[in-house]
Amino acid sequence: MQPDLLLPPGERLGWAIVGLGDFACNQILPAFAACGRSKVTAVVSGDRAKAERVARQYGVPAHGVYTYETFDQIRDNPEIDVVYIILPNAMHAEYTVRAAQAGKHVMCEKPMAPTGAECRRMIDACAEAQRKLMIAYRAHFEPHNVEAQRLLREGAIGELKLIVADHARLLDPQQPQDRWRTQRELAGGGALVDIGIYSLNAARWFTGEEPTGIQATEFSTPGDERFREVEESISFVLRFPGGVIANCLASYGVERCKRYRLLGSEGWLDLDPATEYHGNRLVVGTAKGHEERIVAAGNQFAREIDHLSECVQENHEPQTDGLMGLRDVELIQAIYQAAGITGGEQTRER
Ligand code: NAD
């Protein structure tokens, strides 16, 4: 990857942003300023006035403004190469398939979709259209995470033995972006699908293996309306074939915490925070003591976006592809099952 390559505007790929919510407007659209291979050429929203306002802010031409009803007309816009889907989780499959059928490459937010069947539909639609599909696992492009992976591979902490990974925040349905997250039909699950997925994906990424053993338990405060349909807290333990055990927590009911620690036979790597938008930190500990590793800051969103543009331009597969997204979704279902929450029947009396 060449994250610092700056192509002239005419050689950059054009991106359509679908869904102008919190994450799209506050993180993704501003990140294009740091991109070298990608530019915004279209926006898609249910709110036409908002779409026009955002289009003006980012220099998107009037013919690059779409609604969900006119979305399929992107097929006729040669200025759009890639579609970035930033909608509630249950809408990812529909818009990925429609984008692929319109002949566009797709970046889709995590979690890929609520079910494995939807993920397979997304993979098949992109394969059939011969378009790339990438799932937006930004940690794979975040400099502290990348450095931790490099240190691990070069043996800085000996043999990896244990992973502890926690992701938590307070769910606040007063905020529009948290309203649909309380609804199983739109979110597909609670803390696990939204933020616990970072712990799950990190455990797979750092071990380079697939878990063969899963244990889990969950708890949701009785009478708390936020957790009528989706789980509040879940604890899961993954056992990997090489012997690593990952102990993970995800919660919507406690203060913000996004960290992991990789424990090896000769030391540990502490990422705390590990998956914030900004301000992540990496500390390396060995028998000699511990020290913070200063890592050059880089815009993880811009790197992620440019990675897909590079894959399209140079015809290789994204590091975080549809199969990675599918596997996480299948494991999420297995974790729910281990916790006694069985597929699709998660609304129940508490
Ligand atoms: P949001 O609610 O702020 O944005 C969702 C957008 O979809 C809104 O503009 C909303 O108007 C639109 N929408 C269209 N149909 C809708 C419907 N039926 N119900 C509700 N909204 C509808 O949410 P968000 O926090 O921006 O999350 C969007 C996606 O991005 C999710 O998949 C989420 O997991 C993902 N996300 C990823 C990260 C990350 O760090 N990678 C961070 C936040 C969110």
Side-chain angles (χ1 to χ4, degrees):
M1 184 165 65
Q2 292 176 274
D4 299 318
L5 183 75
L6 290 173
L7 291 177
E11 293 173 30
R12 295 184 189 199
L13 294 193
W15 285 59
I17 308 301
V18 186
L20 300 178
D22 177 58
F23 187 59
C25 288
N26 295 319
Q27 307 303 330
I28 296 304
L29 280 160
F32 276 86
C35 285
R37 291 179 177 267
S38 321
K39 61 186 177 187
V40 186
T41 51
V43 289
V44 185
S45 169
D47 179 340
R48 178 112 205 157
K50 182 180 189 181
E52 283 169 357
R53 190 176 70 245
V54 172
R56 275 196 303 278
Q57 280 168 350
Y58 287 93
V60 170
H63 63 262
V65 175
Y66 298 87
T67 62
Y68 299 119
E69 287 71 40
T70 62
F71 175 72
D72 301 300
Q73 293 170 18
I74 61 169
R75 176 193 315 270
D76 304 319
N77 186 340
E79 290 163 15
I80 301 172
D81 301 290
V82 185
V83 170
Y84 191 166
I85 293 152
I86 320 183
L87 293 166
N89 308 339
M91 299 174 75
H92 292 179
E94 178 191 340
Y95 282 85
T96 295
V97 171
R98 284 168 70 180
Q101 288 173 349
K104 309 301 179 183
H105 303 279
V106 178
M107 173 84 90
C108 178
E109 262 310 326
K110 48 53 62 179
M112 185 169 173
T115 65
E118 286 165 283
C119 297
R120 283 192 204 89
R121 226 162 29 88
M122 296 160 77
I123 291 170
D124 290 348
C126 291
E128 204 166 302
Q130 298 186 357
R131 301 293 90 177
K132 308 279 183 207
L133 170 60
M134 175 167 162
I135 309 304
Y137 286 113
R138 59 183 168 79
H140 291 245
F141 305 90
E142 195 283 325
H144 298 78
N145 283 253
V146 172
E147 176 65 2
Q149 178 68 275
R150 193 191 67 73
L151 288 168
L152 184 65
R153 296 283 163 250
E154 79 172 16
I157 60 164
E159 188 188 346
L160 181 61
K161 297 274 195 181
L162 299 168
I163 298 173
V164 184
D166 307 321
H167 280 86
R169 70 178 182 87
L170 289 168
L171 190 73
D172 177 10
Q174 301 296 322
Q175 304 296 324
Q177 68 269 25
D178 276 358
R179 255 170 242 151
W180 62 264
R181 283 177 164 89
T182 64
Q183 298 167 34
R184 175 154 303 280
E185 205 175 314
L186 281 171
L192 174 59
V193 299
D194 191 31
I195 47 180
I197 192 170
Y198 287 101
S199 301
L200 169 63
N201 188 263
R204 294 178 57 219
W205 187 37
F206 287 114
T207 56
E209 293 182 344
E210 297 300 335
T212 45
I214 295 176
Q215 293 175 329
T217 187
E218 63 95 30
F219 183 77
S220 300
T221 306
D224 189 327
E225 273 303 296
R226 293 175 298 171
F227 308 121
R228 211 158 50 83
E229 298 187 15
V230 301
E231 84 281 356
E232 176 181 355
S233 300
I234 189 159
S235 158
F236 56 100
V237 180
L238 308 172
R239 197 184 61 243
F240 289 86
V244 175
I245 296 171
N247 199 347
C248 309
L249 288 175
S251 180
Y252 267 160
V254 299
E255 252 313 333
R256 202 173 178 88
C257 161
K258 299 184 169 190
R259 63 180 182 199
Y260 26 84
R261 180 174 269 208
L262 311 175
L263 299 124
S265 54
E266 293 166 30
W268 45 263
L269 299 173
D270 210 2
L271 285 128
D272 187 4
T275 55
E276 288 289 1
Y277 298 153
H278 309 282
N280 294 317
R281 294 179 69 189
L282 171 63
V283 176
V284 186
T286 62
K288 291 187 209 134
H290 61 271
E291 65 173 332
E292 182 165 0
R293 184 65 62 127
I294 304 302
V295 179
N299 187 315
Q300 57 185 312
F301 306 111
R303 285 174 179 224
E304 174 183 66
I305 291 163
D306 272 350
H307 175 69
L308 180 53
S309 289
E310 181 185 334
C311 289
V312 171
Q313 288 172 322
E314 299 183 9
N315 195 25
H316 49 79
E317 283 312 300
Q319 277 176 44
T320 56
D321 61 7
L323 282 177
M324 178 182 280
L326 164 65
R327 193 69 190 117
D328 276 345
V329 169
E330 288 174 339
L331 286 166
I332 283 169
Q333 299 306 328
I335 291 167
Y336 278 143
Q337 207 160 18
I341 306 173
T342 46
E345 297 298 323
Q346 295 165 30
T347 305
R348 63 201 193 292
E349 295 299 317
R350 293 185 189 274

